[in-house]
Amino acid sequence: MSMFCFQCEQTAGGKGCTKVGVCGKQPVVANSQDELTCALIGLARAAQGKSAGKTANDLVRQGLFTTVTNVSFDSDRIKALIERIHEEKNKLDLAAEDFAPSELWSGDTDIVSLRSTLLLGMRGMAAYAEHAAVLEKENPEVTAWFYKGLNALGEEHTAEQWLDLLMEFGKINLACMAILDDANTSTYGQPKPTKVTMTVEKGPFIVVTGHDLLDLKQLLEQTEGKGVNIYTHGEMLPAHGYPELNKYSHLKGNFGTAWQNQQKEFDNIPAPILFTTNCLMVPKSTYSDRVFTTSVVAFPGAQHIPDSNHVKDFSALINKAIELGGWPEDKEFTGINGGKELMTGFARNTVLSVAGTVIDAVKAGAIKHFFLVGGCDGAKPGRNYYTEFVQKAPKDTVILTLACGKYRFNDLNIGEIGGLPRIMDMGQCNDAYSAIQVAVALADAFKCGVNDLPLTLVLSWYEQKAVCILLTLLALGIKNIYIGPSLPAFLSPNVLNILVSKFDLHPITTPENDLQAILK
């Protein structure tokens, strides 16, 4: 059986996976995901001119989220989701037809490129919208745009019209990130700078990975007083900065590094791992019996924790932790550079609360440049670029970071400027919203445009949430972004040339050359 998938940075040969996904996704799963995408287009067609309703809205978000890289490896669950989508579609319009899977990745190269870029960006936005929805926050404009975008995927457009859709989508994704930011901060409080240990204490524990903070909150509530400690992993690290999560004394620290190292770091771990969103790799036999999934995450044979109106019972997970028992003694771990402690919690409120200090430091020449170095991490060679870039950045520069790309350097101690650490972790990938708000505030303070600030974005990408964030940055007119470690396979040469010429998008080269070009 053949397949086609080129949505992630590690796609085979930089062109596309056709036999099996580099992520481990089998052809039957890839093809089921294509059918799911085409069924969602059918649902959007059926909803035109109607009020789709909550069930359809939930299916659109969850269906798109299911197709994000490293989320679902279970074709049976995907097919069950397709059946639910068809049921809902038939309630709205029996005559509405699904898009043909054979047409999803075929056609004129540039049109396929533009259509795919929109689809992949929408998949990323769906993840953010779902995280907000479980906290009862929804933006009607974002919801409506999912239907508009899905319908657009099944229609013919000129290249110029596709580009207009991409820019419109980028602005809608900003609204989506804003509603998620509001959902998180209104529920868990404004993040505060927090030191996080990488040492795991003796006794039973659970590792929580992914992005969903509500899952972590419910697990903390259900483990309180039971002698089971909780450790974040990957993109859950920023949870430590939220007061309403940090208040739990058994939220002890962070385990391991970025998602792509899990098969090594989870090897024979004496504890269960809860996967709340994307970032699941094919589990090794040495720990597959202790993998738990929830939400749209799925792997055949893994224990899945369902929910009822966003309420979940983690008893099976907790009992597994008690059964496995953890390590008999405290176990010390380090980051990839040998550091034993991490910092997080530098969201926009924290950074803007010291804006006066920052502005004075810039005016005095103590801070010459800001870099936002972050994004998705991955296993492909070339990602040490980001470690070297931070290490070689001049001492009068500040490094803002977010998402799991920060694990390349977030255990480094590169000093302070005016009492502020030179590396400031702003949070998860969706917290690009915080970074944008900081940039806008600084531009206002200096009475200039964002592109006139001494600020450069140096991004690493892997999956679809990075795609929607890039489209948001471009839609806001932000230029001179450096992106790597390789360019997306779904960008045709002509589309790439348009982005390079219009937005001064730069593929990364070497840290030395790029720093020289930026700081000249």
Side-chain angles (χ1 to χ4, degrees):
M1 181 183 293
S2 62
M3 60 175 279
F4 182 75
C5 183
F6 62 176
Q7 68 178 9
C8 87
E9 189 264 337
Q10 291 178 182
T11 195
K15 296 179 180 179
C17 296
T18 57
K19 295 181 179 179
V20 65
V22 171
C23 63
K25 181 169 59 177
Q26 296 298 313
V28 64
V29 175
N31 294 329
S32 295
Q33 290 183 345
D34 287 351
E35 291 174 22
L36 171 58
T37 300
C38 293
L40 289 171
I41 295 172
L43 176 58
R45 287 170 168 172
Q48 288 189 88
K50 305 179 182 71
S51 177
K54 183 180 184 304
T55 299
N57 295 345
D58 290 347
L59 288 169
V60 166
R61 285 194 315 274
Q62 293 164 12
L64 285 167
F65 192 1
T66 295
T67 61
V68 170
T69 303
N70 294 91
V71 168
S72 181
F73 295 81
D74 192 329
S75 61
D76 289 339
R77 286 195 60 197
I78 294 170
K79 289 173 182 176
L81 183 55
I82 293 171
E83 289 180 8
R84 291 173 57 203
I85 291 168
H86 282 155
E87 288 174 6
E88 198 64 23
K89 179 187 72 172
N90 291 337
K91 290 178 186 177
L92 294 167
D93 186 352
L94 278 169
E97 295 184 356
D98 291 354
F99 192 63
S102 60
E103 297 180 23
L104 201 56
W105 315 113
S106 63
D108 175 83
T109 301
D110 295 333
I111 297 301
V112 171
S113 176
L114 292 161
R115 183 173 64 219
S116 300
T117 302
L118 179 60
L119 170 60
L120 303 184
M122 289 175 61
R123 288 175 174 179
M125 186 170 77
Y128 296 149
E130 180 65 11
H131 295 322
V134 299
L135 295 175
E136 308 299 333
K137 295 284 187 178
E138 186 176 348
N139 182 326
E141 290 184 1
V142 172
T143 301
W145 217 95
F146 280 122
Y147 290 94
K148 177 176 181 175
L150 284 166
N151 273 303
L153 294 174
E155 299 166 349
E156 296 293 330
H157 302 282
T158 65
E160 290 76 14
Q161 289 171 330
W162 280 114
L163 286 167
D164 287 343
L165 281 166
L166 289 173
M167 294 302 100
E168 185 181 333
F169 166 78
K171 292 177 181 177
I172 285 292
N173 184 58
L174 180 66
C176 185
M177 289 195 292
I179 199 70
L180 177 54
D181 178 88
D182 177 55
N184 285 338
T185 55
S186 63
T187 304
Y188 310 114
Q190 294 289 346
K192 298 178 180 178
T194 305
K195 291 183 179 180
V196 183
T197 181
M198 297 189 74
T199 296
V200 177
E201 296 183 12
K202 65 181 180 181
F205 69 98
I206 296 169
V207 175
V208 184
T209 190
H211 302 75
D212 199 291
L213 300 179
L214 180 59
D215 286 336
L216 176 60
K217 179 69 160 61
Q218 292 187 39
L219 181 60
L220 287 167
E221 292 171 343
Q222 293 176 37
T223 49
E224 195 166 22
K226 294 186 177 180
V228 177
N229 291 328
I230 307 298
Y231 292 85
T232 57
H233 173 267
E235 279 273 62
M236 291 299 279
L237 169 63
H240 292 272
Y242 288 95
E244 289 302 307
L245 298 174
N246 187 262
K247 70 181 183 181
Y248 291 91
S249 60
H250 61 299
L251 178 61
K252 290 292 187 178
N254 191 73
F255 178 85
T257 53
W259 69 274
Q260 78 278 356
N261 299 321
Q262 65 188 258
Q263 290 177 327
K264 178 181 178 181
E265 294 175 347
F266 293 162
D267 191 25
N268 282 309
I269 184 175
I273 309 105
L274 175 65
F275 287 86
T276 66
T277 62
N278 56 307
C279 301
L280 171 65
M281 295 178 73
V282 176
K284 293 174 63 175
S285 60
T286 53
Y287 64 87
S288 59
D289 65 325
R290 56 209 68 178
V291 168
F292 288 75
T293 62
T294 191
S295 183
V296 295
V297 188
F299 193 88
Q303 301 176 71
H304 190 77
I305 297 172
D307 70 90
S308 176
N309 294 321
H310 310 316
V311 175
K312 299 178 183 180
D313 179 0
F314 289 109
S315 298
L317 175 68
I318 296 167
N319 291 337
K320 189 68 173 180
I322 295 170
E323 173 196 330
L324 290 168
W327 281 295
E329 302 294 337
D330 292 358
K331 202 167 180 68
E332 194 174 84
F333 294 93
T334 68
I336 67 169
N337 302 290
K340 299 178 182 179
E341 194 173 63
L342 309 172
M343 281 285 288
T344 191
F346 289 92
R348 72 180 188 285
N349 271 36
T350 295
V351 177
L352 293 179
S353 70
V354 293
T357 301
V358 172
I359 292 166
D360 289 344
V362 173
K363 290 179 177 178
I367 297 177
K368 292 286 179 60
H369 208 88
F370 297 89
F371 295 103
L372 174 62
V373 184
C376 310
D377 205 355
K380 194 172 180 178
R383 289 181 177 267
N384 58 334
Y385 166 97
Y386 298 94
T387 310
E388 294 176 15
F389 188 98
V390 169
Q391 289 173 321
K392 293 175 180 178
K395 296 187 183 300
D396 55 6
T397 62
V398 170
I399 312 295
L400 304 174
T401 189
L402 46 76
C404 63
K406 61 178 167 267
Y407 281 99
R408 292 283 165 172
F409 51 81
N410 67 341
D411 63 324
L412 291 170
N413 182 357
I414 61 171
E416 299 181 346
I417 298 178
L420 299 172
R422 285 188 57 221
I423 297 178
M424 290 189 271
D425 176 14
M426 304 192 79
Q428 295 181 337
C429 55
N430 52 279
D431 291 310
Y433 179 77
S434 261
I436 291 168
Q437 298 309 308
V438 167
V440 169
L442 288 175
D444 288 344
F446 286 108
K447 294 181 172 52
C448 67
V450 170
N451 289 319
D452 300 315
L453 288 170
L455 167 68
T456 304
L457 280 60
V458 184
L459 306 180
S460 55
W461 84 281
Y462 177 77
E463 43 86 4
Q464 294 74 67
K465 285 182 278 186
V467 176
C468 69
I469 290 171
L470 177 62
L471 291 173
T472 293
L473 295 172
L474 298 182
L476 292 172
I478 296 175
K479 296 185 176 183
N480 287 307
I481 298 172
Y482 285 71
I483 186 170
S486 59
L487 293 171
F490 53 82
L491 289 183
S492 68
N494 288 336
V495 172
L496 177 61
N497 287 338
I498 290 172
L499 298 179
V500 168
S501 62
K502 187 173 182 179
F503 299 103
D504 296 325
L505 196 65
H506 303 276
I508 62 170
T509 59
T510 67
E512 296 87 352
N513 289 343
D514 290 344
L515 280 165
Q516 184 177 8
I518 293 165
L519 299 173
K520 64 183 179 182

